[in-house]
Amino acid sequence: MKIAIVGAGAIGGYVGAKLSLAGEDVTFIVRGANLEAIRRNGMKLILEDGSEHIADQVKATDNYRLAGRQDLVILALKAHQLESIADQLHHLLGPETAIVTMQNGIPYWYFYKHGGALEGSHLKMVDPTGEISEKIPASRVIGCVVYPASELIAPGVVRHFEGERFPLGELDGSSSERVTRISACFVNAGFKAPVLDDIRSEIWLKLWGNLSFNPISALTHSTLVDICQFPLSRELAAALMTEAQTIAHKLGISFRVPLDKRIAGAEKIGKHKTSMLKDVEAGRALEIDALVGSVIELARLTHTPTPHLDTVYALVKLLAKTFEEERGQVQLQRVA
Ligand SMILES: NC(=O)C1=CN([C@@H]2O[C@H](COP(=O)(O)OP(=O)(O)OC[C@H]3O[C@@H](n4cnc5c(N)ncnc54)[C@H](OP(=O)(O)O)[C@@H]3O)[C@@H](O)[C@H]2O)C=CC1
Ligand SMILES: CC(C)(CO)C(=O)C(=O)O
C-alpha cells in the first residue's frame, strides 16, 4: 500500500518504520533535522527488547506535491498541529484515499455520522476555525486509538516502550472494505488492529486516563503510580473521570472497563511520566484542548456540570500560558 505518514515523531516514526519494514511503500512528511536524518539513514526503530531495526526504504519529504497521491494517509501529529498541515493535505488525496487519525483526545470529526440531535456539531476546541473539518474531510476518516507508547529520542530514531494495539473503526461503525484492508495491512506489520463497530467508546476509554492523569501529572510533576497511590490525587482523578463518564453516557458511550479497574491499570504502568508531563519538561505545547477542553465543550452541549474538569482545565491552561510567556521572554533575550 502507498502510505504517507504526516508527522514523523514518536507515533508516526514507530508506525511508519514498522509498516515500511513489512514491505509497505511509506513516505514520511517531515521537516527540519528529522527530515535530514531520515533521508540520510532511514528511520531507526529501537524495540522494547533493545533490538535495533532500520527502515531504510522509507521516503522522506516536506513537499506534499512531490509525495503525491496515496492509498492511505496517517495523521500522526498532535491534535493542535493538524491545522498547520490541513492546507497541504489535498496533494496526498486521490478519489479513494483513506485517512487514519492518530490523535489522543476527542477528534475534530466526533459528530460526523454520529446520529441524533448533535449530528454534525462542530467542536471549537479541536477545530477552532473550522479549517480542519473543511480540508480533512471526515468522509475519508477511519478512527483510531493509539495504545502503544514511544518517543522520538533523536532525529530519525524512535524508541518503542510498550504496546502494539491500534483499534480502528469507520465513523458509522460499518465494517467497510477499506477499514478491513487497512486493518490487514497493520496486522501484517505486527500491530493488533481490530476493527470496532463503536470506535467512539474506545476513544473515551483511552481518553478517560488522559483527561485525568495527564493534567494532574503536568501540574504536579508526578508519575502515574504516584498519582494513583496518593489518596487525594486518586480521588481527584476519579472525580474527573466520573464527570467525563456522565457526559459520555449522555452521548451513548459505554465503558467496557469500570472506573476502578481503569485507575488500577494506570497504577500498574508504574513510575511513568504522562506525555503531557514530558511536554512540560521539554517546553513543548500541551495537548490541553483535545484532552480536557473538548470534554468540557461536550459537557456544555449535554448540559453536564463539570466543576472538577473546569478547575483542572483552568490550572493547566494557566501553566501553559506561563510557559508560553517564558518561552517568549527567552526568545526575546536571544534576539537582543
Ligand atoms: N508518544 C506516545 O507514546 C503516544 C502518543 N499519542 C498521541 O499521538 C499523537 C502524536 O503524538 P506524538 O507522536 O507523541 O507526538 P510527537 O511530538 O512526537 O510527534 C509529532 C510530530 O509531528 C511533527 N509536526 C508537527 N507539525 C508539523 C508540520 N506542520 N509539518 C510536519 N511535521 C510536523 C513534529 O515535528 P516538529 O518536531 O518539527 O514539530 C513531530 O515530529 C498525539 O495526539 C499523542 O497524544 C498517543 C499515545 C501514546
Ligand atoms: C500514559 C498515558 C496512558 C496516561 O494517561 C498516556 O496515554 C499519555 O501519557 O498520554
Side-chain angles (χ1 to χ4, degrees):
M1 219 188 261
K2 203 166 175 224
I3 304 173
I5 316 265
V6 185
I11 293 301
Y14 170 56
V15 172
K18 292 251 300 185
L19 287 170
S20 173
L21 288 165
E24 305 298 342
D25 177 2
V26 172
T27 302
F28 284 117
I29 308 287
V30 52
R31 61 188 179 183
N34 208 13
L35 170 61
E36 297 314 317
I38 300 170
R39 271 200 182 138
R40 228 181 6 257
N41 305 318
M43 178 64 90
K44 185 198 268 195
L45 172 62
I46 307 173
L47 292 178
E48 285 169 83
D49 61 5
S51 61
E52 297 187 359
H53 308 261
I54 307 217
D56 54 5
Q57 296 302 305
V58 293
K59 292 171 235 163
T61 181
D62 55 3
N63 187 323
Y64 289 72
R65 194 189 297 268
L66 279 186
R69 289 179 166 192
Q70 307 287 321
D71 300 315
L72 173 63
V73 173
I74 296 177
L75 297 180
L77 309 139
K78 297 249 165 97
H80 52 260
Q81 295 167 334
L82 285 179
E83 200 171 78
S84 69
I85 59 96
D87 215 25
Q88 291 292 311
L89 204 72
H90 66 97
H91 292 297
L92 306 179
L93 306 178
E96 303 293 331
T97 310
I99 300 173
V100 170
T101 52
M102 288 198 170
Q103 287 64 52
N104 269 342
I106 297 289
Y108 73 92
W109 49 256
Y110 191 85
F111 286 115
Y112 178 81
K113 300 261 171 144
H114 179 270
L118 291 171
E119 171 67 42
S121 298
H122 169 242
L123 288 172
K124 283 208 186 77
M125 282 289 172
V126 279
D127 185 13
T129 63
E131 194 182 348
I132 299 177
S133 308
E134 185 195 329
K135 298 195 170 142
I136 313 180
S139 56
R140 293 182 182 268
V141 169
I142 305 287
C144 178
V145 180
V146 177
Y147 281 109
S150 56
E151 190 172 347
L152 190 77
I153 58 171
V157 184
V158 74
R159 182 185 287 278
H160 172 244
F161 298 112
E162 50 130 13
E164 54 200 16
R165 211 151 60 84
F166 291 89
L168 300 167
E170 284 281 1
L171 309 192
D172 64 2
S174 62
S175 21
S176 64
E177 189 273 330
R178 65 179 184 178
V179 73
T180 311
R181 196 161 23 96
I182 295 164
S183 165
C185 166
F186 276 38
V187 169
N188 182 52
F191 299 124
K192 291 186 178 136
V195 176
L196 305 184
D197 61 8
D198 181 9
I199 192 70
R200 292 177 184 82
S201 286
E202 199 68 18
I203 285 174
W204 275 98
L205 186 60
K206 173 86 202 282
L207 178 57
W208 229 6
N210 292 135
L211 64 83
S212 49
F213 298 120
N214 291 33
I216 296 175
S217 71
L219 290 165
T220 62
H221 289 243
S222 305
T223 65
L224 288 175
V225 69
D226 296 333
I227 296 168
C228 294
Q229 289 185 353
F230 184 60
L232 295 178
S233 48
R234 187 184 186 99
E235 211 175 287
L236 174 58
L240 293 163
M241 292 165 85
T242 302
E243 288 176 2
Q245 190 174 29
T246 306
I247 303 162
H249 279 161
K250 289 185 185 176
L251 292 169
I253 296 300
S254 51
F255 289 81
R256 63 179 168 81
V257 175
L259 193 147
D260 278 358
K261 247 186 152 177
R262 183 69 178 82
I263 295 182
E267 184 174 351
K268 242 199 262 156
I269 300 177
K271 287 251 168 230
H272 176 85
K273 293 180 181 176
T274 69
S275 53
M276 198 177 279
L277 175 53
K278 286 185 192 159
D279 286 341
V280 166
E281 291 179 346
R284 292 187 292 254
L286 310 183
E287 273 187 306
I288 303 170
D289 287 330
L291 303 190
V292 190
S294 59
V295 178
I296 293 175
E297 193 172 0
L298 294 177
R300 300 295 176 265
L301 286 173
T302 55
H303 312 289
T304 314
T306 50
H308 294 89
L309 281 164
D310 294 354
T311 305
V312 164
Y313 181 68
L315 295 177
V316 84
K317 284 295 269 191
L318 177 60
L319 177 73
K321 178 173 173 288
T322 310
F323 269 151
E324 265 163 42
E325 284 167 3
E326 281 172 7
R327 269 206 304 270
Q329 291 293 336
V330 172
Q331 269 162 13
L332 278 178
Q333 278 163 16
R334 278 204 200 112
V335 172

